[in-house]
């Protein structure tokens, strides 16, 4: 059905907005989601079911899921920290539910306040909750292997352990796992090696996506490695919103506009209209006047006579 070679998953409304102090209004978020869906984006992570006390920026996630699931042909993704969040995601009808499983236990304790044993229990609980729900056939449960490439707190993460936990998540009933470079530590060789090792263990169909940050400028190089080992879903954030507080001037997630340009220029169809996407960027910048958006394509403009693969 899809004529896309690569599926872009826009994570700006979640990963981007959770990392900045500005709180975008629900109306502005809806306008962003709608405009980006209309530009051809197949999937948008609209929020996270975390307590509003912890992340007031994302307090309207339920309303956004309900809104976004009404947009035709849009896959609506959300992050959940635990079973409670997953239940809310199921109730609101999210299509894709991602539970972060931080391979650094120190990071896991800080991020979701759970040990590895507790996260593993939660995977089983969420699998059970989805299988009991009416939406089970329309819900994909992904375990996001975060800090898979290294952790700011623990440093290097043992790759055999990453592979073992990927296998564990699938064994417990998760539909898929995703690799996540939460800290922007990954390099292309590591992306290739870790992806191959996980594919060998669980099958390539159980891991199709990767979540990359551009904290150290390696984002698009890592994308090239991901493409070569057959990954087909790439997370990115419009304007790289959510820059890293430890590296002034460095973007957070890889920039959607630059990623779409890279893919389309190489002949890979994303289904996204570059001009419309750049217009969404303008629209979002107006709603976040305090925030600096990143991206080379927006700054330099499209090359003369540029022909997109999706055109
Ligand atoms: Zn992230």
């Amino acid at each position: 059905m899809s004529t896309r070679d690569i599926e872009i998953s826009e994570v700006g409304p979640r990963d981007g907005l959770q990392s900045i102090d500005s709180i975008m209004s629900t109306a502005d978020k809806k306008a962003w989601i709608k405009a980006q869906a209309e530009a051809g984006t197949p999937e948008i992570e609209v929020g996270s079911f975390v307590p509003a006390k912890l992340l007031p920026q994302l307090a309207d996630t339920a309303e956004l899921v309900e809104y976004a699931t009404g947009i035709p042909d849009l896959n609506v993704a959300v992050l959940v920290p635990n079973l409670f969040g997953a239940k809310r995601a199921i109730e609101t009808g999210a299509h894709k539910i991602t539970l972060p499983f931080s391979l650094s236990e120190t990071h896991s304790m800080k991020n979701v306040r759970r040990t590895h044993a507790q996260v593993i229990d939660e995977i089983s609980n969420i699998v059970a909750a989805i299988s009991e729900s009416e939406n089970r056939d329309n819900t994909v449960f992904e375990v996001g292997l975060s800090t898979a490439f290294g952790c700011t707190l623990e440093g290097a993460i043992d790759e055999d352990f990453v592979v073992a936990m990927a296998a564990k998540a699938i064994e417990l009933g998760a539909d898929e796992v995703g690799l996540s470079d939460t800290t922007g530590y990954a390099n292309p060789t590591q992306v290739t090696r870790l992806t191959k090792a996980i594919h060998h263990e669980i099958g390539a169909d159980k891991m199709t996506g990767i979540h990359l940050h551009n904290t150290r400028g390696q984002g698009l190089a890592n994308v090239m490695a991901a493409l070569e080992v057959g990954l087909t879903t790439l997370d990115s954030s419009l304007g790289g919103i959510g820059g890293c507080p430890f590296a002034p001037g460095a973007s957070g997630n890889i920039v959607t506009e630059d990623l779409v340009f890279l893919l389309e220029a190489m002949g890979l169809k994303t289904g996204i209209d570059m001009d419309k996407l750049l217009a969404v960027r303008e629209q979002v910048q107006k709603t976040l006047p305090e925030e600096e958006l990143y991206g080379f394509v927006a700054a330099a403009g499209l090359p003369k006579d540029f022909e997109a693969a999706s055109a």
Side-chain angles (χ1 to χ4, degrees), residues 223-308:
V223 165
M224 290 309 299
L227 294 174
E228 281 179 14
V229 285
L231 297 180
T232 50
T233 300
L234 303 172
D235 290 5
S236 61
S237 168
L238 191 80
I241 293 171
C244 177
F246 307 108
S251 83
N253 296 101
I254 53 174
V255 176
T256 304
E257 304 88 300
D258 291 354
L259 174 63
V260 171
F261 173 71
L262 171 76
L263 297 169
E264 293 284 337
M266 290 195 300
L268 294 169
K269 293 192 178 88
T270 63
I272 297 176
D273 182 305
M274 205 61 226
D275 293 318
K276 286 185 185 165
L277 185 65
L278 291 169
V280 181
R281 176 191 170 98
E282 299 286 308
Q283 172 186 328
V284 169
Q285 176 72 84
K286 281 188 195 128
T287 66
L288 291 173
E290 309 284 303
E291 303 296 332
E292 184 185 353
L293 299 193
Y294 304 96
F296 287 100
V297 173
L302 290 169
K304 189 171 158 68
D305 297 333
F306 173 68
E307 281 193 45

Side-chain angles (χ1 to χ4, degrees), residues 14-15 180 182 211 213 253:
R14 196 278 303 170
D15 208 345
S180 186
T182 317
H211 176 97
H213 281 239
N253 296 101

Side-chain angles (χ1 to χ4, degrees), residues 87-273:
K87 283 184 172 164
R88 295 189 66 202
I90 295 165
E91 279 162 22
T92 50
H95 303 126
K96 180 173 163 187
I97 298 174
T98 301
L99 176 78
F101 181 3
S102 189
L103 284 323
S104 153
E105 196 158 31
T106 318
H107 182 264
S108 183
M109 289 299 292
K110 275 210 149 174
N111 195 33
V112 293
R113 283 178 281 168
R114 277 177 168 72
T115 63
H116 281 158
Q118 288 171 316
V119 177
I120 287 168
D121 274 349
E122 213 67 331
I123 293 172
S124 298
N125 294 337
I126 293 172
V127 167
I130 292 172
S131 72
E132 287 160 12
S133 84
E134 285 172 14
N135 282 336
R136 62 182 167 273
D137 295 334
N138 301 314
T139 310
V140 169
F141 176 39
E142 178 198 57
V143 171
L145 304 167
S146 46
T147 65
F149 296 93
C151 171
T152 44
L153 305 166
E154 284 191 14
I157 299 293
D158 178 31
E159 292 186 5
D160 290 340
F161 180 66
V162 180
V163 175
M165 290 303 105
K168 185 77 187 168
I170 296 300
E171 182 197 316
L172 294 174
D175 296 305
E176 53 188 71
V177 296
L179 264 180
S180 186
D181 182 21
T182 317
T183 52
Y185 278 16
N187 66 66
T189 303
Q190 199 182 11
V191 168
T192 303
R193 188 174 60 233
L194 201 45
T195 302
K196 280 185 175 170
I198 294 174
H199 280 175
H200 180 76
E201 192 69 25
I202 64 173
D205 60 321
K206 298 285 186 197
M207 190 180 80
T208 58
I210 190 163
H211 176 97
L212 295 164
H213 281 239
N214 198 38
T215 320
R216 289 174 180 76
Q218 311 305 304
L220 295 185
N222 289 332
V223 165
M224 290 309 299
L227 294 174
E228 281 179 14
V229 285
L231 297 180
T232 50
T233 300
L234 303 172
D235 290 5
S236 61
S237 168
L238 191 80
I241 293 171
C244 177
F246 307 108
S251 83
N253 296 101
I254 53 174
V255 176
T256 304
E257 304 88 300
D258 291 354
L259 174 63
V260 171
F261 173 71
L262 171 76
L263 297 169
E264 293 284 337
M266 290 195 300
L268 294 169
K269 293 192 178 88
T270 63
I272 297 176
D273 182 305

